[in-house]
């Protein structure tokens, strides 16, 4: 369905409206999908976007990304899931099997020029898994990603695309 791009598309639409009105400095956020343009309230400084630690224990920040004139979207399994008979099931469905995804990635943050694209790519990476997802991101122009995986011992590790330097 279209839920993998709906929030990103809405963000892009608002951004186009603001651009058409001559507004150059803005941050638009709908449900965690973000588009930034120009600088923050301090003027020429990039926007600072916090990437949440992917657990349900606290709202701490795992990483801060500084950017301008780009979109950022995160897809993850740490907020939208249910537990049945002691097994956690993601809200993300593998289109090949029809079942919820089950792998090591708990969060995929994607940076792209358009929020619709960042939103769709983040969801697709969650379905593809770590290795295939990172390889795919590295083949795309103007797209970068920060992938967070949860090891079997409960610790987090990070994978970054080749050009990720935010």
């Amino acid at each position: 369905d279209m839920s993998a791009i709906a929030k990103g598309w809405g963000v892009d639409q608002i951004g186009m409206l603001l651009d058409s009105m001559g507004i150059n400095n803005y941050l638009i956020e709908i449900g965690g999908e973000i588009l930034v343009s120009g600088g923050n309230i301090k003027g020429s400084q990039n926007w600072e976007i916090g990437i949440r630690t992917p657990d349900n224990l606290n709202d701490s920040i795992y990483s801060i990304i500084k950017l301008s004139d780009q979109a950022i979207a995160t897809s993850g399994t740490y907020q939208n899931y249910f537990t049945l008979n002691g097994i956690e099931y993601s809200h993300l469905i593998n289109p090949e099997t029809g079942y919820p995804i089950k792998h090591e990635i708990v969060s995929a943050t994607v940076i792209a020029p358009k929020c619709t694209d960042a939103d769709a790519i983040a969801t697709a990476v969650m379905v593809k898994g770590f290795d295939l997802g990172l390889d795919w991101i590295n083949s795309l122009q103007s797209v970068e990603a920060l992938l967070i995986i949860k090891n079997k011992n409960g610790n987090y590790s990070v994978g970054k695309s080749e050009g990720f330097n935010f």
Side-chain angles (χ1 to χ4, degrees):
D1 64 21
M2 301 304 283
S3 67
I5 64 167
K7 292 182 286 184
W9 180 84
V11 167
D12 284 340
Q13 296 302 304
I14 296 168
M16 288 189 295
L17 175 64
L18 294 176
D19 289 342
S20 74
M21 298 169 60
I23 299 172
N24 300 354
N25 298 307
Y26 57 78
L27 180 148
I28 304 162
E29 186 267 341
I30 298 176
E33 315 307 30
I34 300 170
L35 176 65
V36 296
S37 177
N40 64 19
I41 196 162
K42 295 178 183 174
S44 62
Q45 294 184 2
N46 285 346
W47 295 93
E48 294 184 6
I49 310 297
I51 306 302
R52 189 174 157 210
T53 300
D55 62 32
N56 291 319
L57 303 176
N58 59 55
D59 288 328
S60 66
I61 301 297
Y62 189 83
S63 179
I64 294 177
I65 296 175
K66 297 179 182 183
L67 65 146
S68 182
D69 301 323
Q70 291 179 296
I72 185 167
T74 299
S75 184
T77 57
Y78 55 95
Q79 286 185 309
N80 294 326
Y81 67 92
F82 68 93
T83 304
L84 180 64
N85 297 326
I87 300 172
E88 290 182 0
Y89 294 93
S90 169
H91 72 293
L92 298 168
I93 304 299
N94 181 330
E96 292 179 348
T97 66
Y99 289 98
I101 62 167
K102 187 74 174 164
H103 52 70
E104 70 281 4
I105 299 179
V106 292
S107 175
T109 298
V110 173
I111 298 169
K114 300 273 186 213
C115 201
T116 306
D117 296 339
D119 201 0
I121 293 167
T123 302
V125 166
M126 289 298 301
V127 173
K128 286 179 174 287
F130 184 83
D131 292 329
L132 288 174
L134 200 53
D135 287 346
W136 181 50
I137 292 291
N138 286 328
S139 74
L140 300 174
Q141 289 185 346
S142 303
V143 176
E144 300 299 338
L146 171 71
L147 307 181
I148 301 175
I149 60 173
K150 189 172 188 177
N151 301 321
K152 293 184 191 310
N153 61 9
N155 294 326
Y156 296 114
S157 299
V158 173
K160 298 179 181 178
S161 57
E162 294 169 355
F164 190 92
N165 57 4
F166 299 90

